[in-house]
Amino acid sequence: MIENTSLLSKQITHGVYVISVANGSEQNAFTAAWVMQVSFAPPMIAFSINPEHYSYKLLQASGECTVNVLGQDHLAIAAHFGSSGVREKMTTYRWQSGKTIAPVLSDSLAYFDCKLSHTTDAGDHKIAVCEVIAAAELNSGWPLLYWQTGNMDGSSNLNKR
Ligand SMILES: Cc1cc2nc3c(=O)[nH]c(=O)nc-3n(C[C@H](O)[C@H](O)[C@H](O)COP(=O)(O)O)c2cc1C
């Protein structure tokens, strides 16, 4: 096993996203960097999610989510949805309806409405493979990059174990 896991995290290039989920009247969202396109036809996105996240429970229950793309001005949004134990996590930002039960973040650069195809195990995470059923650009700007978030996710601390 490699010693320096933060090297892995920061040298592999990622964007930064807020993945929103819902089930019935419950809504939630979490910041994610481990996101990528995995198919053209049908269009598919995969992301890696810690199964202990509250968002994972809602994703499993409804089978739907929205991947919202963050921009350069969205560090505070990344921090907000990347923190656990935030009370009333969804009330601070504006949301709109898309084609799934999951809400769309109105400030995002673009969004992808997704139906969960399947999940598969990946160490301490699950890979969620999703079909994109709708997408749109909402605002102009450059995407936020994962390395610009510094140690916001605490990944540097993992080396100290
Ligand atoms: C920049 C950044 C990137 C993150 N990337 C991921 C990721 O790809 N997958 C994941 O499961 N958690 C990721 N996280 C952690 C979750 O966003 C965080 O644990 C969140 O509090 C989970 O929310 P929930 O428990 O309300 O669902 C990231 C956090 C930050 C700050």
Side-chain angles (χ1 to χ4, degrees):
M1 186 148 129
I2 63 169
E3 296 285 316
N4 190 343
T5 51
S6 77
L7 188 68
L8 181 71
S9 294
K10 298 299 178 198
Q11 294 297 330
I12 292 180
T13 307
H14 298 282
V16 185
Y17 308 86
V18 167
I19 299 182
S20 47
V21 288
N23 183 48
S25 60
E26 288 179 89
Q27 294 186 333
N28 201 54
F30 73 105
T31 300
W34 295 350
V35 177
M36 65 186 216
Q37 181 173 353
V38 291
S39 167
F40 276 131
M44 298 183 95
I45 286 176
F47 57 87
S48 181
I49 178 169
N50 184 329
E52 294 187 357
H53 290 349
Y54 175 50
S55 301
Y56 183 69
K57 291 174 184 54
L58 299 187
L59 175 66
Q60 268 193 316
S62 73
E64 296 186 341
C65 64
T66 298
V67 177
N68 302 276
V69 182
L70 296 189
Q72 285 286 309
D73 297 335
H74 294 157
L75 266 180
I77 301 180
H80 178 84
F81 291 103
S83 307
S84 56
V86 177
R87 294 183 63 184
E88 301 187 11
K89 204 175 187 185
M90 303 298 281
T91 55
T92 316
Y93 293 98
R94 289 181 303 122
W95 302 92
Q96 59 194 63
S97 297
K99 293 270 190 245
T100 71
I101 188 175
V104 172
L105 183 66
S106 300
D107 286 336
S108 63
L109 299 187
Y111 70 90
F112 302 91
D113 280 332
C114 297
K115 294 247 184 219
L116 181 65
S117 164
H118 58 278
T119 60
T120 189
D121 292 340
D124 57 5
H125 278 55
K126 301 275 184 189
I127 307 292
V129 182
C130 302
E131 183 169 346
V132 178
I133 59 160
E137 284 184 292
L138 292 182
N139 298 286
S140 58
W142 292 102
L144 182 62
L145 300 177
Y146 177 50
W147 68 264
Q148 295 176 301
T149 65
N151 192 33
M152 186 187 282
D153 62 357
S155 57
S156 306
N157 308 338
L158 297 175
N159 299 322
K160 299 183 180 129
R161 282 193 300 191

